[in-house]
Amino acid sequence: MAAAQPAPGPALYLNAVERRYRQGDNTLEILRGAELGCWLGQSIALIAPSGAGKSTFLHIAGLLEHPDGGEVYVDGQPTSSLSDAARTQIRRTEMGFVYQAHHLLPEFSAVENVMLPQMIRGLSRSESHRRSAELLTYLGLKARLDHRPSELSGGEQQRVAIARAVANAPRILLADEPTGNLDPHTADHVFDTLNQLVRASGLAAIIATHNLDLARRMDRRVTIREGVVVELD
C-alpha cells in the first residue's frame, strides 16, 4: 500500500513571532510568540480591539516589518534572512494587500489602477488591460472601467482596490479593515465580493475586521490576546 501523502503546509505561517517597541525608557511588547498558519483556500478573520497589535501582525505577515523574534514562512520558506529586494519580490508576486483607505491613484481610471501592478511586473499594456477589464467585470464594475476614482462610489473604489490587490494572482491576501470606511450595506456587498473572490481564486486570506457579522462568514476567527494569537469559537 502506498504511503499517504502529507498534507501540504500553509501558504503563510507565522511562528513564535515577537515584536516590541521602545517608548523612552520602557519597552512595549506587542507580539509575544504569536503563531498562525493560513492555507490556500482558507479565509481567517482577525478580530481584535485597537492597540492589540493586529496591524503590526499584518505588517509582519506581509513582510513590511521585521519581527524581533520568530519567523515568517511563505510557502514553507523562511524570510527573515532575505534581503530587502527579495522580500519586495515576494510581496510583489505572492501577496496582495487591501487597506481601509483604497489608495487609488486619482489621475488614473479604474482599469488603469489595476493595470499598473501588472505592468510593473512586466506584462504588456494590452495584456494587463485585458486581465484588468476581466477582473473588474467579475467584480461588477464593467460599466465603470474608464471612470476615475472621484467618479466612483466608496464601495466601487474599494472593489477597484481589491482588484488591484489580486491583479498579479497572488497566493496570499492580507486586508486591514477593508470595509471600515463604508456604510453597513455597502460594507456587506464589498465583503461578499471579497469573500467570493477569495474562494474562487483559492487564496490564503487574513482579513482584520471589527465587524463580527462579516467575520462569521469566514472559515476561521482569531484574535490577539496579550501578544499571542487565540482561536475563537
Side-chain angles (χ1 to χ4, degrees):
M1 180 182 297
Q5 293 296 313
L12 178 66
Y13 177 45
L14 284 79
N15 179 40
V17 166
E18 300 176 4
R19 189 70 172 106
R20 62 188 67 92
Y21 299 100
R22 295 286 298 177
Q23 285 191 335
D25 295 330
N26 299 318
T27 299
L28 186 61
E29 299 278 352
I30 303 298
L31 300 175
R32 307 178 183 185
E35 183 170 346
L36 182 67
C38 188
W39 278 255
L40 293 175
Q42 184 179 71
S43 60
I44 299 176
L46 175 58
I47 310 162
S50 297
K54 62 181 183 297
S55 291
T56 296
F57 185 87
L58 288 175
H59 288 166
I60 291 174
L63 309 185
L64 296 168
E65 286 188 38
H66 286 273
D68 295 307
E71 184 60 88
V72 179
Y73 295 87
V74 177
D75 289 330
Q77 302 302 311
T79 61
S80 62
S81 62
L82 295 177
S83 66
D84 287 343
R87 290 163 66 88
T88 298
Q89 183 64 17
I90 291 174
R91 288 196 300 271
R92 186 175 294 166
T93 60
E94 297 290 324
M95 297 179 170
F97 300 87
V98 183
Y99 301 99
Q100 183 169 332
H102 52 76
H103 297 303
L104 298 178
L105 298 175
E107 66 271 28
F108 293 106
S109 67
V111 72
E112 289 170 337
N113 267 278
V114 182
M115 288 168 60
L116 282 172
Q118 299 174 75
M119 294 177 67
I120 289 171
R121 190 176 177 182
L123 264 67
S124 67
R125 183 176 181 86
S126 60
E127 177 65 7
S128 61
H129 186 281
R130 183 192 66 78
R131 286 163 51 99
S132 299
E134 185 177 88
L135 183 54
L136 288 169
T137 297
Y138 177 81
L139 295 176
L141 294 171
K142 182 177 181 179
R144 314 293 275 170
L145 299 183
D146 296 322
H147 288 66
R148 293 189 178 186
S150 62
E151 301 171 305
L152 302 174
S153 69
E156 289 170 339
Q157 292 175 28
Q158 196 64 313
R159 277 185 280 162
V160 175
I162 291 168
R164 181 183 57 189
V166 301
N168 280 329
R171 291 159 59 83
I172 298 161
L173 181 69
L174 302 172
D176 194 356
E177 295 287 350
T179 62
N181 284 338
L182 305 176
D183 65 81
H185 176 75
T186 304
D188 189 77
H189 180 63
V190 169
F191 187 87
D192 278 344
T193 301
L194 177 59
N195 217 16
Q196 180 183 358
L197 186 61
V198 166
R199 297 187 186 284
S201 304
L203 290 162
I206 302 176
I207 302 175
T209 181
H210 283 109
N211 191 318
L212 296 179
D213 289 334
L214 301 184
R216 291 188 186 99
R217 304 180 201 174
M218 302 178 69
D219 298 319
R220 291 166 60 195
R221 283 150 294 282
V222 301
T223 190
I224 298 175
R225 291 179 185 157
E226 297 182 352
V228 299
V229 176
V230 178
E231 294 276 349
L232 298 172
D233 49 70

